[in-house]
Amino acid sequence: MNYRTRKGLVPYLFVAPNTLIFSLFVLLPMIYGLGFSLFDGNFTTGLGNFVGLQNYQELLQDGAFLRALLNTLWYVGAVVVMVVVLSLALALMLKETTLASSIARVGFYLPVILSPVVVGVAWRWMFGTELGIINALLTMTGGSPIPWLTDVTWARVLVTLASVWSMTGFYMVLFIGGLNTIPTDMYEAAEVDGASPAQRFWKITVPLLVPTTMLVTILATINAFKAFEIILVLTSGGPGDSTKLLVQNIYQSAFEGGNPSYASAQSVVLFAVLMLLTFVQTRIARED
């Protein structure tokens, strides 16, 4: 092997470990799951009999799946919008590096490093109907307890806020990085020309933050679609099925219903929805 050939192989050797891990733990399970969705197997018999698209046809008539899909769509929409707006607002307030802003950044980032289970337990402890600290404070001040976790509307609001609280710090850091790439002389020139703070935000900050905003939107969308632990701990998908999302429905189909093939079909649908949304978002980003 000559020098040129060895030099050409070096980049592939560097990416080989990551490619191997990705293939073993992501690509192969994904292909196996896609194939599994075409059979009627279970955990004891393996693949079982080939049923083609029967599992997908059953999904169209499965009320629990359709409710979980609808819940997932409103949850993702609410979480992504709130995460983008709040993380951008925090980044604008904390982009200057001072002692106070550094302490505030750490405070807002702390929920990111907490386990989702811990986040769910903490919010359940605060908003429990009978033993929650918020209702205790309301009672002490003469108010009436609120059924935070047993009322459909309040339960949906709480799972959304808990998820946003656990994610916003991470995306705030991304926005701060994006803001620091905008040349300050552009703001100075606009200020000299008499542009107001609002005009500088909409004419300079927003257009130059489009790549960062699209990255945050795509990552937040993927993370919101994967939401499971916080909601399971906080409401267990209730009251009723009002906060049960698609991932929890997949889990219950596979491990409580003993039907992994049907759960695999739901996972494939979730994957297709994610790919479609990511494709649309990237197309919009390219057009901008």
Side-chain angles (χ1 to χ4, degrees), residues 63-79 155-156 158-160 163 167 220-232 235-253 266-267 270:
F65 168 77
L66 296 177
R67 281 194 300 275
L69 180 61
L70 185 62
N71 288 340
T72 304
L73 292 178
W74 71 252
Y75 168 82
V76 170
V79 167
R156 287 177 171 172
L158 279 184
V159 297
T160 303
S163 302
M167 297 181 189
T221 301
I222 294 172
N223 282 330
F225 265 104
K226 295 190 303 180
F228 175 62
E229 299 95 335
I230 291 178
I231 299 173
L232 183 67
T235 64
S236 299
D241 288 339
S242 60
T243 59
K244 185 165 77 172
L245 305 187
L246 201 49
V247 174
Q248 185 180 351
N249 200 61
I250 292 171
Y251 172 83
Q252 290 179 339
S253 297
Q266 296 179 55
S267 300
L270 176 60

Side-chain angles (χ1 to χ4, degrees), residues 38-61:
L38 304 176
F39 291 80
D40 64 351
N42 53 51
F43 291 118
T44 55
T45 63
L47 285 178
N49 300 316
F50 180 77
V51 295
L53 298 177
Q54 180 180 324
N55 287 324
Y56 295 95
Q57 293 172 347
E58 291 179 6
L59 287 178
L60 299 176
Q61 302 172 352

